[in-house]
Amino acid sequence: MGYVIGILLGLLATGLLVFFFLKKRRKVLVEPAAPLPPTMVELLAENVPYYASLPEEKQPIFAERVNQFLANVTIEGVETEVSEIDKVLVASSAVIPVFAFDDWQYPNLTNVVLYDSTFNEKTFETEGTDRRTMGLVGTGGALQSSMALSKSALLNGFLNKTSKENTGIHEFVHLLDKVDGEIDGAPEMMIPKEHLQPWLRLMHETMQQMETGRTDINPYGLTNEAEFFAVVSEYFFKRPDLLKQKHPELFEQLELIFKQNPVR
């Protein structure tokens, strides 16, 4: 009996050692990264209107979320150099739609690939006539956890302050939509059940209006429900004042979905 007890005590001691080792190791793995470099914070202030319009006490939180994204997602260029401004704009595109969701990490993204300009959606070539794609979210195979973006479109989405388009935000909204398993314009993890049917109804009503040319919403949103959601989300974050004025119901629904009001 004493021999058995000795063995059990030994196993218990070994288990405790393993437990504390793993616990200590986990603490090391979640050790916070170094703060976002001051140069990148300056780039945020100069090039991301959303960040600049935040209350002063929330700006460091946004910068830290950008920092976390850059620590977890690889950004690489295809025949183009990736600069600090590229990294800041990609990360900002990711953080803006989920800023109201604390500690959000995209579970379906490991790397973002940047092309200098538009590219071919099927071959990813940047030369030739059929290269109209500005952004693309991987849906299977080797691209399952990837996103491709045009650097020129990414930059224009932030620098052109009067437009209602932002390619980076558009593609990250697709990723949010994808979390429930389907890119269909109805991100169930973000929409309370009681608001799902009103959202679907409003989406289809607005798409019908767009077919008659009676709205200022980008007609690309008529492609399907997923593109509609991404297009109006761009509008919501890029020109919230205008969306609230011209499409108050849409604004209200998107405010519920993203849990934020970007009109400041």
Side-chain angles (χ1 to χ4, degrees):
M1 178 67 70
Y3 176 76
V4 173
I5 294 175
I7 291 176
L8 290 174
L9 288 174
L11 290 173
L12 178 61
T14 302
L16 288 172
L17 285 173
V18 170
F19 171 78
F20 286 117
F21 171 78
L22 291 176
K23 186 176 181 182
K24 184 177 181 181
R25 190 179 176 193
R26 275 199 296 271
K27 286 184 178 180
V28 171
L29 288 175
V30 297
E31 189 80 22
L36 195 68
T39 54
M40 285 191 168
V41 176
E42 290 176 10
L43 289 173
L44 275 175
E46 294 169 359
N47 299 283
V48 181
Y50 179 97
Y51 169 85
S53 68
L54 285 173
E56 189 173 340
E57 67 273 13
K58 290 190 176 183
Q59 289 181 350
I61 300 172
F62 188 95
E64 178 53 29
R65 296 282 294 275
V66 164
N67 197 37
Q68 291 173 6
F69 179 87
L70 294 175
N72 287 284
V73 178
T74 300
I75 302 176
E76 53 194 337
V78 175
E79 297 182 355
T80 187
E81 186 177 330
V82 177
S83 65
E84 281 197 337
I85 183 64
D86 297 327
K87 293 179 180 179
V88 163
L89 296 185
V90 170
S92 295
S93 300
V95 173
I96 287 170
V98 296
F99 191 53
F101 299 86
D102 295 339
D103 301 321
W104 172 267
Q105 298 288 338
Y106 287 89
N108 47 7
L109 184 70
T110 58
N111 66 302
V112 176
V113 180
L114 299 182
Y115 293 84
D116 195 52
S117 60
T118 53
F119 52 91
N120 184 298
E121 182 174 339
K122 295 181 178 179
T123 66
F124 293 93
E125 294 178 356
T126 56
E127 296 181 358
T129 56
D130 191 18
R131 51 180 189 89
R132 300 184 295 271
T133 304
M134 295 184 290
L136 184 68
V137 169
T139 55
L143 296 177
Q144 177 65 30
S145 301
S146 300
M147 175 187 292
L149 288 172
S150 156
K151 283 176 56 174
S152 57
L154 174 69
L155 186 63
N156 187 61
F158 285 93
L159 297 190
N160 186 344
K161 295 179 175 60
T162 60
S163 78
K164 300 183 285 287
E165 288 82 42
N166 184 297
T167 297
I169 292 175
H170 182 108
E171 296 305 323
F172 277 100
V173 166
H174 277 325
L175 271 190
L176 291 174
D177 194 1
K178 183 183 176 184
V179 169
D180 61 13
E182 190 174 2
I183 304 179
D184 57 3
E188 295 182 18
M189 50 75 66
M190 299 177 71
I191 303 179
K193 288 184 179 180
E194 64 270 23
H195 295 302
L196 183 58
Q197 287 306 315
W199 164 248
L200 293 174
R201 183 169 58 251
L202 179 60
M203 176 166 58
H204 291 131
E205 287 175 358
T206 307
M207 291 176 77
Q208 288 178 351
Q209 293 172 5
M210 291 169 66
E211 288 175 348
T212 66
R214 289 185 288 139
T215 79
D216 64 337
I217 298 171
N218 186 340
Y220 187 64
L222 281 173
T223 306
N224 53 46
E225 288 87 350
E227 295 300 345
F228 175 85
F229 178 49
V231 161
V232 297
S233 296
E234 294 177 75
Y235 195 161
F236 177 72
F237 288 110
K238 190 76 182 292
R239 294 295 307 278
D241 52 338
L242 192 61
L243 182 67
K244 187 174 185 178
Q245 174 190 337
K246 295 199 170 189
H247 308 279
E249 285 186 88
L250 262 181
F251 183 91
E252 183 178 346
Q253 285 294 325
L254 291 169
E255 188 178 8
L256 289 170
I257 291 172
F258 293 109
K259 293 181 171 51
Q260 53 179 305
N261 182 341
V263 175
R264 300 181 181 92

